[in-house]
Amino acid sequence: MNVLQQQGVPHHLKIDIEAADRFCLDALAQVGVRPTTLSIEAELSDIDEQVAQLDQLAALGYRAFLPVQQARLHKLALPQPQAEGRTVTHRFARGSSGPFGRDLQGPWLGLDAAKTFYVRVHAANERYAWHYKVGYKPARSLIRRACEHVAGVPLFGWYDTHARLTPPDQAA
């Protein structure tokens, strides 16, 4: 909280404190001013915690959510031109957080739809977790893609939840 009070609230806030992200949201609640957008690591190991995290974001005033599967962001290119800041050419490295705010691609969801999405991802990850026991990496990739096709959601890997104060169609 001291950093936000001293430096001000940023336009976008990336939160990634390894299973302690909600402490940052608690501090954000005390500041009173919110970033227009933020991203936080999803809690897919505990679906109840993930739902509580979404509820906490909603209590802070966030109304639009975009779950982003982080494992394959290295294959993503930024839109040209970018909506956030200067236009640059950039390829993301493995493990990157990727774009944010208006440069994100994909459908923004309301609170209930975001909860439903994460419940489906969690259930599918639980169902297909055996996939990692396959020793041969190319086979794992093929199996993962087949599981994703059957499940209807991207699997295996971590997600970030991006949140906006207002839905994109209402943003200025």
Side-chain angles (χ1 to χ4, degrees), residues 143-156:
I143 292 169
R144 185 199 74 242
R145 285 196 298 267
C147 292
E148 287 175 340
H149 178 74
V150 171
V153 293
L155 304 175
F156 316 117

Side-chain angles (χ1 to χ4, degrees), residues 36-117:
T36 303
T37 60
L38 64 76
S39 62
I40 187 168
E41 191 171 7
E43 294 290 340
L44 289 180
S45 62
D46 182 344
I47 193 59
D48 293 332
E49 180 65 22
Q50 177 57 37
V51 168
Q53 186 185 80
L54 288 166
D55 286 335
Q56 188 176 15
L57 288 166
L60 288 169
Y62 292 93
R63 300 292 177 253
F65 306 92
L66 181 59
V68 176
Q69 212 271 10
Q70 300 295 110
R72 293 186 287 279
L73 282 177
H74 63 280
K75 297 180 180 182
L76 180 69
L78 282 168
Q80 297 295 329
Q82 282 100 56
E84 299 286 353
R86 295 184 313 221
T87 296
V88 297
T89 301
H90 180 72
R91 295 298 287 187
F92 294 99
R94 286 186 187 272
S96 297
S97 293
F100 66 93
R102 294 176 292 160
D103 288 329
L104 288 166
Q105 300 167 10
W108 287 84
L109 307 173
L111 178 62
D112 290 339
K115 288 178 182 180
T116 299
F117 177 85

Side-chain angles (χ1 to χ4, degrees), residues 8 25-26 37-38 43 85 125 128 130 142 145 154 160 164 166:
L25 294 180
D26 290 341
T37 60
L38 64 76
E43 294 290 340
N125 278 342
Y128 298 112
W130 56 266
L142 290 171
R145 285 196 298 267
D160 275 0
R164 291 182 63 99
T166 56

Side-chain angles (χ1 to χ4, degrees), residues 1 15 17 49 61 72 75 116 118 120 124 136 138 168:
M1 183 166 74
I15 304 170
I17 315 172
E49 180 65 22
R72 293 186 287 279
K75 297 180 180 182
T116 299
Y118 277 125
R120 287 181 58 219
Y136 185 56

